[in-house]
């Protein structure tokens, strides 16, 4: 087994664990032990999958096959997006008791890296005519700007809840998209079908996240007693 194969197997295993464990915190009682344990399993597996993905993309970019470069750059960005989403989702919980703006170097730096990478991917996608790259650069810009606004402003009540879940979901969207980008072309679908599979998780996930947040904002507004407590982390 080559080093590339070893990293690939590790990436697949970690990604499988992440995508499997993602659904448990979604349905488990919020803040309970099952939610926390499954959430940590998801986050750690996501970080490992993202790290392996970045290594694999680096190996692809360093080989002599130029045709692999565009896909490798996109997948490297998706790995960064997934790692950022899981990392921010966890960090929001660790800092949710704050009552002032948060200017931690790690948190601001991670969001700034995603912002700069999103701008770079947008310019690269426009130059290469890559709809997929441009679309995901918009998602990265949306997430990174939202994160910076959250960190730099005094937090509104319960805003940490929505930032936490929105970023965790974004990490999952990135992982599902990466899986489809790598595997769907093997079945030979046309260009339209490819765009449907590649953009579908982002569009459906973004719409689902918006509807979910709207429902929970209404729920918290009408029944404050059902809000997750600050002690739940």
């Amino acid at each position: 087994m080559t080093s590339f194969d070893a990293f690939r197997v590790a990436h697949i295993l970690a990604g499988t664990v992440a995508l499997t464990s993602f659904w448990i915190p979604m349905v488990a009682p919020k803040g309970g032990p099952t939610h926390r344990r499954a959430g940590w399993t998801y986050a750690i597996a996501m970080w490992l999958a993202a790290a392996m993905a970045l290594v694999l993309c680096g190996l692809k970019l360093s080989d002599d096959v130029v045709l692999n470069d565009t896909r490798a750059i996109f997948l490297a960005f998706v790995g960064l997006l997934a790692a950022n989403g899981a990392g921010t989702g966890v960090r929001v919980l660790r800092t949710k008791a704050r009552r002032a703006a948060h200017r931690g170097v790690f948190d601001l730096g991670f969001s700034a890296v995603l912002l700069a990478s999103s701008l770079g991917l947008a310019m690269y996608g426009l130059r290469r005519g890559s709809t997929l790259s441009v679309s995901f650069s918009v998602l990265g810009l949306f997430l990174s700007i939202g994160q910076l606004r959250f960190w730099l402003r005094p937090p509104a009540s319960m805003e940490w809840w929505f930032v936490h879940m929105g970023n965790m979901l974004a990490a999952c969207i990135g992982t599902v998209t990466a899986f489809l980008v790598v595997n769907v072309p093997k079945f030979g679908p046309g260009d339209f079908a490819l765009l449907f599979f590649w953009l579908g998780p982002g569009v459906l996930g973004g719409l689902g996240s918006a509807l979910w947040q709207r429902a929970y904002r209404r729920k918290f507004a009408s029944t404050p007693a059902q809000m997750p407590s600050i002690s739940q982390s």
Side-chain angles (χ1 to χ4, degrees):
M1 178 182 291
T2 66
S3 59
F4 182 90
D5 292 331
F7 284 120
R8 183 171 177 270
V9 170
H11 169 69
I12 292 172
L13 292 175
T16 300
V17 172
L19 291 178
T20 302
S21 59
F22 170 78
W23 302 103
I24 300 175
M26 293 288 288
V27 299
K30 302 301 180 284
T34 300
H35 179 92
R36 294 197 299 270
R37 289 167 186 162
W40 272 111
T41 299
Y42 168 74
I44 292 172
M46 186 64 72
W47 293 329
L48 289 174
M52 295 301 100
L54 291 173
V55 172
L56 291 171
C57 292
L59 293 174
K60 284 288 187 182
L61 289 171
S62 63
D63 64 22
D64 297 327
V65 185
V66 179
L67 293 176
N68 290 332
D69 290 356
T70 297
R71 182 175 296 183
I73 289 171
F74 171 75
L75 292 175
F77 176 80
V78 170
L80 173 63
L81 182 74
N84 171 275
T88 301
V90 170
R91 287 295 300 161
V92 164
L93 294 183
R94 314 306 286 182
T95 62
K96 64 188 178 186
R98 65 192 174 89
R99 294 292 180 265
H102 174 75
R103 294 183 172 86
V105 173
F106 174 81
D107 297 316
L108 289 176
F110 209 2
S111 299
V113 168
L114 179 61
L115 176 62
S117 300
S118 300
L119 290 171
L121 184 68
M123 291 186 289
Y124 180 81
L126 289 172
R127 189 172 72 240
R128 299 299 296 266
S130 173
T131 302
L132 188 63
S133 295
V134 173
S135 299
F136 268 78
S137 71
V138 173
L139 176 59
L141 288 170
F142 177 80
L143 284 174
S144 58
I145 291 172
Q147 291 168 10
L148 290 170
R149 290 178 66 239
F150 177 79
W151 294 128
L152 293 171
R153 297 191 308 177
S157 176
M158 293 306 299
E159 194 61 28
W160 62 268
W161 169 261
F162 299 105
V163 174
H164 165 70
M165 291 302 294
N167 279 273
M168 287 296 199
L169 180 59
C172 183
I173 290 172
T175 304
V176 171
T177 301
F179 173 82
L180 295 176
V181 167
V182 171
N183 292 285
V184 168
K186 297 176 183 178
F187 298 96
D191 292 341
F192 179 79
L194 281 176
L195 282 178
F196 173 79
F197 281 110
W198 292 351
L199 297 178
V203 173
L204 295 177
L207 178 60
S209 178
L211 293 174
W212 169 83
Q213 291 199 31
R214 181 180 179 184
Y216 266 91
R217 288 184 189 277
R218 289 181 174 179
K219 178 180 179 180
F220 292 159
S222 61
T223 55
Q226 296 188 30
M227 294 181 179
S229 67
I230 289 294
S231 62
Q232 294 174 345
S233 61

